[in-house]
Amino acid sequence: MEQFLMVAGAHFLALLSPGPDFLLILRSALVEGWRGAAGVCLGVALANGVFITLALAGFAVLRPGSPLFVAVLWAGAGYLFYLGVRLIRSAAPLSLSVEAQSVADIGHGLRGFAMGFASAILNPKNALFYASLFSLLAASGSALAIQMGYGLWMVAVVLGWDLLVAWLAAQPRWMKVFGCRLAWVERGAGAALILLAAAVAWEGWGGVS
């Protein structure tokens, strides 16, 4: 139980840290509603599941400094920059009386799923977090079945938390608060993603040099 509380606590604290996934879910919920944002949430959860599976399988190809890890860093930086520019260029006030028709349209069905998956799978921080966490579990002597249970728990928590964030953001009260300010929300999210891209690129440059 002590180990579970430690692992679950560390995982949940990581979830509380806003990142590109959070920004995508928030923006999607404001434009499409929580059901529309569910596709983004599913994509993010699946990408987390992929990293957990790699960690359980003992893959070391994503260790810091490895060629694949550096490639993921650069790909992630490019994707975050592209997404940030796209959000800034598509920023527009949100009409609460009609369904928004945004250029980004990131919360719609399979498109939202694909963007959520890409956002999470191209984030090297996710790879580092799960690789570190499961290496500690393996070092502590936890059985593979227990580690798999932790993995399933984490995917469920990621999905549940993201859906909760989407539902809260899509409440009429918050829609009214953010609706007329959606353009600024999008510009702020875009700027934050571009800054994240710069930080990731800097880390990638350090990995090359």
Side-chain angles (χ1 to χ4, degrees):
M1 179 58 68
E2 290 181 0
Q3 185 187 67
F4 173 78
L5 292 176
M6 179 190 70
V7 172
H11 182 243
F12 189 69
L13 287 175
L15 283 180
L16 292 179
S17 176
D21 303 339
F22 177 84
L23 295 174
L24 279 177
I25 293 167
L26 176 63
R27 194 269 178 189
S28 180
L30 289 173
V31 173
E32 301 287 339
W34 79 270
R35 288 184 177 85
V40 179
C41 298
L42 287 170
V44 170
L46 180 60
N48 278 259
V50 170
F51 282 127
I52 290 171
T53 301
L54 289 174
L56 284 171
F59 280 73
V61 291
L62 284 177
R63 68 183 184 276
S66 68
L68 183 57
F69 182 79
V70 173
V72 170
L73 278 176
W74 283 108
Y79 180 75
L80 291 175
F81 180 80
Y82 158 78
L83 202 56
V85 171
R86 191 174 183 183
L87 282 175
I88 291 175
R89 294 182 61 183
S90 67
L94 174 62
S95 172
L96 298 179
S97 58
V98 296
E99 186 173 330
Q101 299 295 326
S102 173
V103 175
D105 193 23
I106 60 177
H108 186 66
L110 291 176
R111 186 187 184 108
F113 173 84
M115 296 193 76
F117 182 83
S119 172
I121 204 68
L122 290 175
N123 187 350
K125 303 299 183 183
N126 290 336
L128 281 177
F129 175 77
Y130 288 116
S132 301
L133 191 59
F134 280 92
S135 65
L136 289 175
L137 287 174
S140 68
S142 298
L144 180 60
I146 295 177
Q147 295 184 49
M148 291 176 64
Y150 279 129
L152 292 173
W153 165 264
M154 291 176 189
V155 172
V157 169
V158 168
L159 180 59
W161 172 255
D162 288 347
L163 288 172
L164 177 62
V165 169
W167 180 80
L168 290 174
Q171 293 305 298
R173 178 178 60 181
W174 293 111
M175 293 283 284
K176 290 179 181 178
V177 171
F178 290 111
C180 60
R181 301 179 178 86
L182 181 64
W184 291 105
V185 172
E186 289 189 324
R187 292 188 184 104
L193 289 175
I194 291 173
L195 289 175
L196 281 172
V200 171
W202 178 263
E203 188 170 344
W205 181 264
V208 173
S209 57

